[in-house]
Amino acid sequence: MIKKIVIFLSLVSFGVASVLSYEELKTKPKSLAKDYYIYRLMTEGNVNDKELKSLRSGVFRDRGKLKTALDKRIGSRTFYDKCKGVNAKNILDANLTCKLNRLGGVKFVSRLSPAVRNSLASELSSYPDVVNLLNGINSENPAKYFANTKNVKNFFSYFKSLDEKNRANKFNFALSPEFGAMLGSDSYFKTFITDAVVNQNLVTLRKSLIDINPANFDSQSSFYLGINAIKFKQDDKSVKFFNQAINSAKTSQDSDKANLWIYLVTSSEEALLKAANSKDLNMYSLYAKELTGNTNLNIVIPKPTKNSVAGYDEKSPFDWVNLKAKVKNTPKESLNELATKFDTKKTQGEYIYIKNIADGYPDNFYPTPFMEHIGTSDKQRQALILAIARQESRFIQSAISISYALGMMQFMPFVANDWASKHDFGNFDQDDVFKPEVAYKMANIHLDWLERYLYNPVFIAYAYNGGIGFTKRMITQRPLFKDGKYEPFLSMELVHYAESREYAKRVLANYVVYSSILNPSANISIIELINNLTNPAKTDSYRK
């Protein structure tokens, strides 16, 4: 996905223009596809307010730019609020229900005077969390108050209510081991600790967590507590966190990642072999496989003989919506039969989608669809295009993202329109990116541009997902991808934009696998690609 540049899945081409009418849309199922075409109808077509109000009842995701456009055109949706009118000035006069309703938010409580908060705390003594919140906001430092009173709910609510600067001012203190363990049992802790470690702030708080017992922590929290220990040069203490990350892992990648880090810290051959023998193909397992000489990738490359599925338009987002609904309602024992039906050249993405649900096959399908449209004979470029397409859309031509990114290569409409205006795409409509020949052509154009500045598939992936500006700032303004212990693995875990952080790892793994498929003799090395990330001459034109 290219933030501000590219994005997610594919759509249909309905002739010269793909703006569907009200009559065409009113009976379509709730879906991102319908939302996308409602937005197109509003901004490009002809629809009256009455029709828009009718269509709004069928909106799947009433948020983002669609909500903004609908609110501006026909007004925001209004919901009955029996506490309407209750505010900071009259909260003392409200009934109990409305008091509790309003006092559920830190920002509202913060607007009350200390005297009003004291009065409410006395009145609501049978509601301990509310009283704790009121008393905490009245204290000199609410964060310390919530920590001292061991109120996890209010501690995290207060954290969420502040910006980065105020968080640094209020939360940078040592936590007791007992309260730290309590925080770790809350689902928000993984976001909290990941943010603190990645942004390398709250130093005193983070240091107090090095000796915490992670016995009940989830995998992500435990992993980043391990990275936290490493940042404080407590390498030996990181291992307990990495082991807990393995014990609580829900995915193979999570356990492979922690095992490889145990190897990096301790040189444990056992941990390295565990990662190398993983059935999942990810950055960590592929790195371990290359180190140990394990060449068993266990990949599946579909080789369909049929061309297409009768009655299914692979470029129609609504056909894709209907197929997903059918899969959901089909008994599991019948899904393999349905998968076989979609084992065609034009529907490899749909086939793999159904097959994975049918039998839980590890996601080691690496299709190479539409190579006649790939647009280049360069094997490395081919591998990169397929690597990105696999991550963006799983080769579903007609999927649509929540940002209305389109096509196998997930271009945002404004980006697709811009590239089309600067290159020869004929009588272009943005839905044309649902066609593989258009998606691949546009991908080559976009990658030509990115590769003027970036030379490594990891950095190219960061830019494809987060934007080239994001990537430039990350490698020039942050202390990342420089020589140092555990580099560049450590920097890859500290990329501050979470989506790009994980996206680039997956694209890298895809790229290595596709390189081995398309050009085995090239011997593309994931070890070399990763090690090169600290060498500007091998990665980018921004660093000198």
Side-chain angles (χ1 to χ4, degrees):
M1 194 162 85
I2 307 175
K3 264 299 192 236
K4 302 178 183 173
I5 300 176
V6 178
I7 302 200
F8 231 40
L9 308 159
S10 20
L11 288 181
V12 201
S13 196
F14 294 96
V16 175
S18 299
V19 180
L20 303 189
S21 69
Y22 166 74
E23 291 297 326
E24 291 173 297
L25 279 174
K26 68 180 184 180
T27 58
K28 297 295 186 185
K30 274 189 177 184
S31 59
L32 287 171
K34 185 171 184 175
D35 290 357
Y36 165 72
Y37 284 109
I38 291 173
Y39 185 78
R40 286 205 71 177
L41 177 61
M42 284 186 64
T43 55
E44 302 174 50
N46 183 20
V47 61
N48 62 47
D49 290 357
K50 181 180 178 181
E51 291 169 335
L52 272 182
K53 288 178 181 178
S54 174
L55 287 173
R56 190 165 199 168
S57 64
V59 166
F60 176 74
R61 187 176 183 271
D62 195 16
R63 286 186 280 174
K65 62 183 181 181
L66 177 60
K67 175 177 168 43
T68 300
L70 286 168
D71 287 352
K72 184 177 180 180
R73 174 78 179 268
I74 59 175
S76 61
R77 282 180 167 177
T78 57
F79 298 94
Y80 177 66
D81 180 1
K82 61 186 176 183
C83 297
K84 187 176 182 179
V86 174
N87 54 48
K89 293 181 179 180
N90 60 21
I91 184 70
L92 291 174
D93 299 323
N95 60 42
L96 177 62
T97 299
C98 291
K99 283 175 180 172
L100 295 174
N101 177 282
R102 291 294 186 259
L103 296 176
V106 171
K107 290 186 177 180
F108 181 87
V109 172
S110 298
R111 291 198 296 268
L112 303 176
S113 70
V116 170
R117 286 195 287 262
N118 283 332
S119 179
L120 288 166
S122 297
E123 179 186 345
L124 301 172
S125 58
S126 58
Y127 297 91
D129 280 345
V130 175
V131 172
N132 181 266
L133 178 61
L134 290 162
N135 289 335
I137 300 300
N138 262 357
S139 69
E140 182 179 353
N141 184 345
K144 283 189 175 181
Y145 180 89
F146 299 138
N148 291 336
T149 57
K150 296 181 173 55
N151 193 302
V152 173
K153 175 184 175 183
N154 289 336
F155 183 88
F156 281 144
S157 292
Y158 186 58
F159 180 83
K160 294 175 192 177
S161 74
L162 301 180
D163 58 23
E164 285 296 326
K165 181 178 179 180
N166 283 308
R167 286 175 178 178
N169 290 334
K170 298 293 186 181
F171 282 83
N172 196 25
F173 58 88
L175 299 177
S176 70
E178 182 184 0
F179 188 60
M182 291 173 67
L183 289 179
S185 64
D186 189 278
S187 61
Y188 185 73
F189 182 72
K190 65 182 177 183
T191 302
F192 172 78
I193 193 61
T194 302
D195 176 84
V197 174
V198 166
N199 290 298
Q200 302 185 50
N201 53 19
L202 306 182
V203 175
T204 303
L205 182 151
R206 290 197 292 113
K207 192 172 185 178
S208 70
L209 295 174
I210 292 175
D211 293 312
I212 198 171
N213 182 355
N216 297 313
F217 291 3
D218 64 58
S219 188
Q220 180 177 319
S221 301
S222 301
F223 178 78
Y224 272 97
L225 284 166
I227 296 296
N228 182 55
I230 283 173
K231 289 298 294 179
F232 284 105
K233 303 187 186 308
Q234 301 287 319
D235 297 13
D236 56 329
K237 294 182 179 180
S238 72
V239 177
K240 68 176 179 180
F241 295 112
F242 293 140
N243 275 319
Q244 174 58 18
I246 294 167
N247 293 337
S248 56
K250 292 184 178 179
T251 68
S252 296
Q253 175 164 306
D254 285 342
S255 57
D256 296 342
K257 174 169 63 175
N259 268 313
L260 187 63
W261 268 97
I262 290 174
Y263 166 74
L264 293 174
V265 173
T266 67
S267 300
S268 166
E269 290 293 327
E270 180 184 3
L272 180 65
L273 286 172
K274 284 180 180 178
N277 291 329
S278 172
K279 292 182 180 179
D280 188 63
L281 298 181
N282 55 68
M283 181 185 86
Y284 307 96
S285 65
L286 289 172
Y287 188 94
K289 285 179 187 295
E290 186 173 330
L291 274 180
T292 59
N294 182 344
T295 59
N296 181 20
L297 296 184
N298 191 31
I299 59 176
V300 179
I301 307 170
K303 298 291 184 183
T305 56
K306 295 183 293 183
N307 191 52
S308 60
V309 179
Y312 179 82
D313 182 356
E314 63 279 349
K315 295 185 292 298
S316 166
F318 291 113
D319 277 19
W320 170 232
V321 168
N322 291 333
L323 176 60
K324 286 190 291 183
K326 183 175 182 178
V327 171
K328 184 177 180 180
N329 294 316
T330 298
K332 195 167 184 180
E333 60 271 17
S334 302
L335 282 176
N336 272 311
E337 182 180 350
L338 183 62
T340 301
K341 178 181 177 181
F342 279 85
D343 186 11
T344 78
K345 295 177 182 178
K346 291 186 177 181
T347 56
Q348 291 186 50
E350 288 88 339
Y351 164 72
I352 292 167
Y353 172 81
I354 302 168
K355 191 68 175 169
N356 276 329
I357 295 174
D359 53 24
Y361 196 93
D363 192 19
N364 288 356
F365 285 98
Y366 285 82
T368 57
F370 315 115
M371 293 302 288
E372 68 274 21
H373 300 305
I374 199 74
T376 176
S377 60
D378 184 273
K379 299 300 183 183
Q380 288 181 273
R381 171 60 68 82
Q382 291 179 0
L384 185 56
I385 289 175
L386 293 173
I388 292 171
R390 185 179 189 271
Q391 182 57 30
E392 290 288 354
S393 66
R394 287 300 196 272
F395 301 100
I396 300 291
Q397 296 178 61
S398 58
I400 304 174
S401 78
I402 59 174
S403 303
Y404 306 152
L406 312 173
M408 287 194 303
M409 304 303 299
Q410 289 292 275
F411 284 98
M412 287 298 287
F414 77 90
V415 177
N417 290 328
D418 183 56
W419 280 133
S421 70
K422 295 174 180 175
H423 298 270
D424 181 21
F425 280 85
N427 192 10
F428 180 79
D429 179 85
Q430 65 194 36
D431 282 11
D432 287 343
V433 295
F434 302 139
K435 301 173 182 177
E437 61 270 27
V438 174
Y440 282 166
K441 179 178 178 180
M442 200 164 281
N444 275 299
I445 291 169
H446 191 72
L447 290 172
D448 283 343
W449 177 65
L450 290 179
E451 288 177 354
R452 295 179 195 172
Y453 312 99
L454 305 168
Y455 322 135
N456 186 289
V458 174
F459 283 2
I460 291 169
Y462 288 140
Y464 198 96
N465 179 261
I468 198 163
F470 154 79
T471 306
K472 180 181 179 181
R473 289 189 299 274
M474 177 180 67
I475 61 179
T476 59
Q477 298 176 18
R478 286 179 170 254
L480 299 179
F481 298 105
K482 295 177 171 58
D483 289 334
K485 193 175 184 181
Y486 304 129
E487 290 294 348
F489 279 100
L490 186 57
S491 287
M492 294 184 78
E493 309 300 356
L494 296 176
V495 171
H496 62 286
Y497 183 34
E499 184 180 303
S500 294
R501 184 192 316 142
E502 299 309 315
Y503 177 93
K505 295 174 188 177
R506 292 186 173 96
V507 168
L508 174 62
N510 291 345
Y511 175 75
V512 170
V513 173
Y514 275 119
S515 294
S516 73
I517 293 171
L518 298 173
N519 191 14
S521 63
N523 293 321
I524 297 295
S525 166
I526 193 170
I527 295 175
E528 182 178 351
L529 289 170
I530 291 174
N531 289 344
N532 282 346
L533 292 175
T534 57
N535 182 354
K538 300 276 189 175
T539 57
D540 64 276
S541 63
Y542 296 122
R543 299 180 294 174
K544 303 299 182 183

